[in-house]
Amino acid sequence: AQKVTQAQTEISVVEKEDVTLDCVYETRDTTYYLFWYKQPPSGELVFLIRRNSFDEQNEISGRYSWNFQKSTSSFNFTITASQVVDSAVYFCALSEAGSNYQLIWGAGTKLIIKP
Amino acid sequence: DTGVSQDPRHKITKRGQNVTFRCDPISEHNRLYWYRQTLGQGPEFLTYFQNEAQLEKSRLLSDRFSAERPKGSFSTLEIQRTEQGDSAMYLCASTLGRDGYTFGSGTRLTVV
């Protein structure tokens, strides 16, 4: 069965530190998509990235970077030089072609950036 | 197009009352999803529409829940005889398929 595990419930760092949020997934599908969403205190889910199962290239967007490794079924998210505005809950999610692309979510990691 | 709109943003209701939420997706998106999120948890899938057809419904959804998407445009989610356990954030998302989903701001339901 498909599953997404975010083992880190809460992470607290001081501003400007780098931080990595872990995500491990399980799927039997060969075609699947991985996502990261940010949920600030306002509650809205903000899309950060989508990756398909055939593209293992790492991606960098400003201070954000993602490391997709099929060999370990992981899709980790790193924030470089963290800022207070990065404080939020971050969710990793999986969707499979065989499941109508519904999103299977991890439990989320609460990230606290202290000034 | 300003994204996915949900109405109302907040709803407080007494136990046993019926409530209805509305979602207006991005107009060209044919797929629409409802999710429920309780405090400290990730969202849980409730139901899915492709155009006007409801193609999947979670086993989490009791008979008190019903959703519609007439004409394949906006969608409504109705909860009958609300219970305190129904208190949650109800999220709507739309997509064309494999692309990133666009979520609405959600409707926060509090059953007292």
Side-chain angles (χ1 to χ4, degrees):
Chain A
Q2 64 271 47
K3 186 178 175 183
V4 176
T5 301
Q6 294 180 256
Q8 304 149 309
T9 305
E10 183 174 307
I11 300 175
S12 180
V13 300
V14 177
E15 200 172 19
K16 298 183 183 174
E17 286 185 17
D18 300 347
V19 58
T20 296
L21 282 59
D22 298 333
C23 173
V24 175
Y25 63 92
E26 295 176 29
T27 178
R28 293 180 188 168
D29 231 324
T30 54
T31 302
Y32 56 89
Y33 300 84
L34 295 164
F35 301 80
W36 276 95
Y37 280 86
K38 174 181 181 180
Q39 190 171 45
S42 59
E44 191 164 344
L45 282 162
V46 178
F47 168 76
L48 296 178
I49 190 171
R50 174 188 65 97
R51 246 333 184 217
N52 75 57
S53 51
F54 302 108
D55 182 2
E56 282 192 76
Q57 278 192 337
N58 291 331
E59 180 152 341
I60 297 174
S61 177
R63 296 184 297 106
Y64 295 171
S65 62
W66 290 269
N67 183 356
F68 177 25
Q69 291 196 336
K70 286 177 78 170
S71 60
T72 55
S73 297
S74 65
F75 186 44
N76 297 337
F77 172 33
T78 297
I79 301 175
T80 303
S82 59
Q83 299 176 1
V84 172
V85 293
D86 296 327
S87 298
V89 180
Y90 290 85
F91 290 99
C92 179
L94 163 74
S95 76
E96 300 168 321
S99 300
N100 292 319
Y101 299 109
Q102 67 172 262
L103 289 166
I104 306 299
W105 299 79
T109 297
K110 183 175 182 179
L111 179 62
I112 300 169
I113 310 295
K114 298 177 181 175
Chain B
D1 197 337
T2 56
V4 178
S5 300
Q6 289 189 248
D7 184 67
R9 290 293 306 272
H10 304 275
K11 178 72 178 178
I12 300 174
T13 191
K14 290 184 179 178
R15 191 175 52 180
Q17 298 293 305
N18 298 344
V19 294
T20 300
F21 310 141
R22 178 179 169 123
C23 171
D24 286 273
I26 292 174
S27 55
E28 59 265 29
H29 286 182
N30 60 342
R31 294 173 183 247
L32 185 148
Y33 299 78
W34 284 97
Y35 290 85
R36 178 173 64 188
Q37 186 179 22
T38 52
L39 207 58
Q41 302 293 320
E44 298 172 298
F45 168 77
L46 293 179
T47 191
Y48 153 62
F49 290 85
Q50 184 162 332
N51 300 312
E52 66 275 9
Q54 186 175 20
L55 297 185
E56 190 169 350
K57 194 173 169 180
S58 167
R59 278 168 283 183
L60 294 174
L61 226 55
S62 76
D63 291 342
R64 297 183 296 105
F65 287 71
S66 62
E68 294 181 342
R69 193 184 181 196
K71 303 177 184 177
S73 55
F74 72 92
S75 176
T76 57
L77 177 69
E78 182 183 15
I79 309 174
Q80 295 182 327
R81 303 180 305 281
T82 51
E83 301 172 357
Q84 286 190 322
D86 297 331
S87 296
M89 175 77 87
Y90 289 83
L91 295 161
C92 176
S94 69
T95 180
L96 280 173
R98 297 165 292 178
D99 297 333
Y101 299 69
T102 302
F103 279 84
S105 300
T107 294
R108 183 169 294 284
L109 174 67
T110 303
V111 181
V112 297

